[in-house]
C-alpha cells in the first residue's frame, strides 16, 4: 500500500502520475496528464513555488517584501496559497477576464486583488497589467515582482519535474501537446525533450486571438492560454508545430469531457481540442503515443464555460455540442443555468 505524504506547506503536495486515457471518449489515442490535483488547482503551482524559492534564496524576497504579480487567475491562486502559508503580503494584478470564483478564492487567502479595466492600445489587458505592475514597483521598493513572463524558473520548474515525469511514464512518446500562456510549461518540456535526443514532436496549443506565435490580436474571454504580448520566455526554435483553437471549440471540448464526468478548465479544453485537431490532420488512423498536459480543473469555470446562458450570449448556439442543444427539447435560452 502506498504511503500518503504528510506535509507542512500546501505547495509540498502535487500529483505527477495521474493520466486519463481519452481514447474511449474522443476516439483519439491521447493521454491527458492531470496537473490540477494540488491545493492550487493548477499546473501553475510548480512555477509559483520555484520562483518564490529562488527569490528567497537570492535574498530578493524578505519578510518586509510585498509580492506582486500579473495573472489572469491560476498563478495568482498559487501565489496566494504560498504567500498565505509563508506570511507574505501579495497583490495580484488581473483584469475583467478573471473568473469571479478565482478572485474570491485569492481574497479568501488574504490576497489583495486589483483589476485593470482598460486594455492597452497595443498589448491588450496583459499590456495594461504589466504597465501597472512596473509603475507600482518603481514607486515602492518593497514590491517584489517575480515576473512569470521573463523568470527562467517558470520553465526550469517544468524542465525538472513535468517533462521527466512524462518521459518516465511514456518511454515511447511520439507527440506532446502543451498549451501556450507564459510558455513556461511549453519551454520547460520542449527543452527537456530536445536535450534528451528523443524524437518527440512538441506541439504548442494556443488560442485564436493570441499574438504569441504571430497571430492577429482579438478579444479573448476565456482566461489561461494566449497572450496579448509575445512572451519573452518563448524560443520557437524548440517548438515543432503550433495549432490555434477558436474559443467555441474550447467550450465544446470542455463540455464533452464533462459529459463523461471529467470537469476541466478552459485551458485544458483548449489543449484537448488542439490535440484532436492536430492528430486528425497529421496522424489519422496511425498508432501513436500522444500526451496532452491538462493545466487546470473546471470548478472556476462554472459561471462561464459551463453556464449555458453565458456561452449562448458570448458565442451563440454554434458553440454548443449537438447533444447539448437538444437537451430536454428546450431552446438554449430557456435552459436553467448550470
Amino acid at each position: 500500500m502506498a504511503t500518503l505524504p504528510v506535509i507542512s506547506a500546501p505547495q509540498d503536495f502535487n500529483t505527477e502520475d495521474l493520466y486519463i486515457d481519452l481514447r474511449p471518449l474522443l476516439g483519439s489515442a491521447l493521454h491527458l496528464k492531470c496537473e490540477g490535483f494540488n491545493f492550487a488547482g493548477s499546473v501553475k503551482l510548480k512555477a509559483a513555488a520555484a520562483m518564490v524559492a529562488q527569490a528567497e534564496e537570492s535574498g530578493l524576497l524578505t519578510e518586509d517584501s510585498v509580492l506582486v504579480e500579473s495573472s489572469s487567475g491560476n498563478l495568482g491562486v498559487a501565489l496566494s496559497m504560498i504567500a498565505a502559508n509563508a506570511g507574505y503580503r501579495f497583490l495580484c494584478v488581473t483584469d475583467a477576464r478573471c473568473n469571479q470564483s478565482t478572485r474570491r478564492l485569492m481574497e479568501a487567502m488574504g490576497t489583495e486583488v486589483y483589476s485593470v479595466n482598460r486594455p492597452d492600445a497595443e498589448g491588450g489587458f496583459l499590456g495594461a497589467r504589466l504597465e501597472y505592475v512596473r509603475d507600482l514597483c518603481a514607486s515602492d521598493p518593497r514590491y517584489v515582482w517575480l515576473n512569470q513572463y521573463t523568470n527562467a524558473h517558470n520553465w526550469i520548474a517544468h524542465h525538472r519535474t513535468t517533462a521527466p515525469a512524462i518521459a518516465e511514464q511514456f518511454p515511447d512518446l511520439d507527440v506532446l501537446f502543451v498549451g501556450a500562456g507564459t510558455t513556461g510549461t511549453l519551454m520547460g518540456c520542449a527543452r527537456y525533450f530536445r536535450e534528451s535526443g528523443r524524437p518527440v514532436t512538441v506541439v504548442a496549443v494556443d488560442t485564436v486571438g493570441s499574438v504569441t506565435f504571430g497571430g492577429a490580436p482579438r478579444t479573448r474571454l476565456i482566461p489561461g492560454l494566449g497572450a496579448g504580448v509575445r512572451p519573452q520566455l518563448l524560443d520557437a526554435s524548440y517548438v515543432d508545430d503550433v495549432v490555434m483553437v477558436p474559443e467555441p471549440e474550447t467550450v465544446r471540448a470542455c463540455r464533452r469531457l464533462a459529459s463523461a464526468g471529467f470537469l476541466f478548465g478552459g485551458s485544458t479544453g483548449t489543449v484537448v481540442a488542439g490535440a484532436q485537431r492536430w492528430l486528425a490532420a497529421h496522424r489519422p488512423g496511425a498508432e501513436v503515443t500522444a500526451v496532452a498536459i491538462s493545466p487546470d480543473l473546471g470548478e472556476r469555470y462554472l459561471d462561464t464555460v459551463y453556464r449555458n446562458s453565458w456561452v449562448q450570449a458570448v458565442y451563440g448556439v454554434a458553440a454548443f455540442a449537438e447533444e447539448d442543444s437538444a437537451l430536454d427539447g428546450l431552446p438554449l435560452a430557456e435552459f436553467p443555468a448550470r
Side-chain angles (χ1 to χ4, degrees):
M1 179 180 295
T3 302
L4 295 177
V6 177
I7 64 173
S8 57
Q11 63 268 31
D12 292 341
F13 175 76
N14 199 20
T15 300
E16 278 286 8
D17 55 358
L18 178 60
Y19 296 82
I20 300 172
D21 183 355
L22 293 180
R23 188 193 297 266
L25 176 61
L26 304 179
S28 301
L30 183 66
H31 287 84
L32 191 62
K33 187 180 194 302
C34 302
E35 289 283 350
F37 289 96
N38 54 57
F39 285 97
S42 81
V43 70
K44 289 292 188 177
L45 175 60
K46 292 177 176 177
M51 292 189 296
V52 169
Q54 188 275 333
E56 290 174 335
E57 292 169 4
S58 67
L60 179 65
L61 187 58
T62 70
E63 60 182 13
D64 297 323
S65 300
V66 181
L67 277 170
V68 60
E69 187 57 82
S70 158
S71 171
S72 62
N74 285 335
L75 183 77
V77 171
L79 286 174
S80 295
M81 184 189 77
I82 293 171
N85 182 258
Y88 297 123
R89 289 177 56 197
F90 174 45
L91 169 64
C92 182
V93 180
T94 187
D95 59 61
R97 294 171 301 177
C98 179
N99 297 325
Q100 283 301 308
S101 59
T102 299
R103 178 170 185 150
R104 291 194 297 269
L105 182 55
M106 289 191 284
E107 290 173 338
M109 290 184 281
T111 295
E112 180 184 353
V113 182
Y114 177 82
S115 182
V116 300
N117 53 25
R118 290 185 180 179
D120 180 77
E122 295 184 0
F125 278 112
L126 175 56
R129 291 184 348 226
L130 296 178
E131 181 179 2
Y132 183 88
V133 173
R134 290 189 190 100
D135 290 346
L136 192 66
C137 291
S139 68
D140 190 334
R142 293 177 303 163
Y143 285 101
V144 173
W145 182 19
L146 300 176
N147 198 347
Q148 63 168 326
Y149 309 99
T150 63
N151 194 319
H153 287 271
N154 186 346
W155 68 261
I156 289 172
H158 299 285
H159 190 275
R160 291 175 176 171
T161 60
T162 311
I166 294 171
E168 181 178 2
Q169 183 71 29
F170 295 92
D172 58 346
L173 181 66
D174 297 309
V175 189
L176 177 64
F177 297 95
V178 190
T182 63
T183 68
T185 309
L186 174 63
M187 284 293 94
C189 292
R191 287 175 183 270
Y192 177 89
F193 283 107
R194 179 70 59 84
E195 293 164 5
S196 73
R198 293 173 54 172
V200 176
T201 299
V202 176
V203 180
V205 182
D206 201 5
T207 182
V208 171
S210 168
V211 305
T212 297
F213 294 98
R218 283 175 50 182
T219 300
R220 293 173 289 109
L221 298 176
I222 299 176
L225 301 186
V229 178
R230 190 178 190 272
Q232 293 184 46
L233 292 178
L234 176 65
D235 183 343
S237 69
Y238 286 93
V239 179
D240 297 300
D241 206 351
V242 179
V243 58
M244 305 296 294
V245 177
E247 286 190 339
E249 285 191 26
T250 293
V251 172
R252 288 194 290 271
C254 285
R255 286 169 166 249
R256 188 170 184 184
L257 290 167
S259 71
F262 297 114
L263 193 72
F264 285 105
S267 296
T268 299
T270 302
V271 173
V272 170
Q276 284 187 276
R277 178 185 285 202
W278 193 92
L279 288 170
H282 298 277
R283 301 288 193 277
E287 285 296 324
V288 61
T289 300
V291 171
I293 296 178
S294 162
D296 56 355
L297 300 179
E299 290 88 347
R300 297 169 197 170
Y301 295 82
L302 294 178
D303 289 330
T304 53
V305 169
Y306 295 106
R307 187 179 180 91
N308 287 326
S309 57
W310 185 88
V311 173
Q312 184 177 9
V314 172
Y315 305 111
V317 176
F320 292 88
E322 185 176 343
E323 57 269 24
D324 284 338
S325 63
L327 184 62
D328 292 337
L330 296 174
L332 291 171
E334 296 179 26
F335 282 0
R338 294 198 285 191

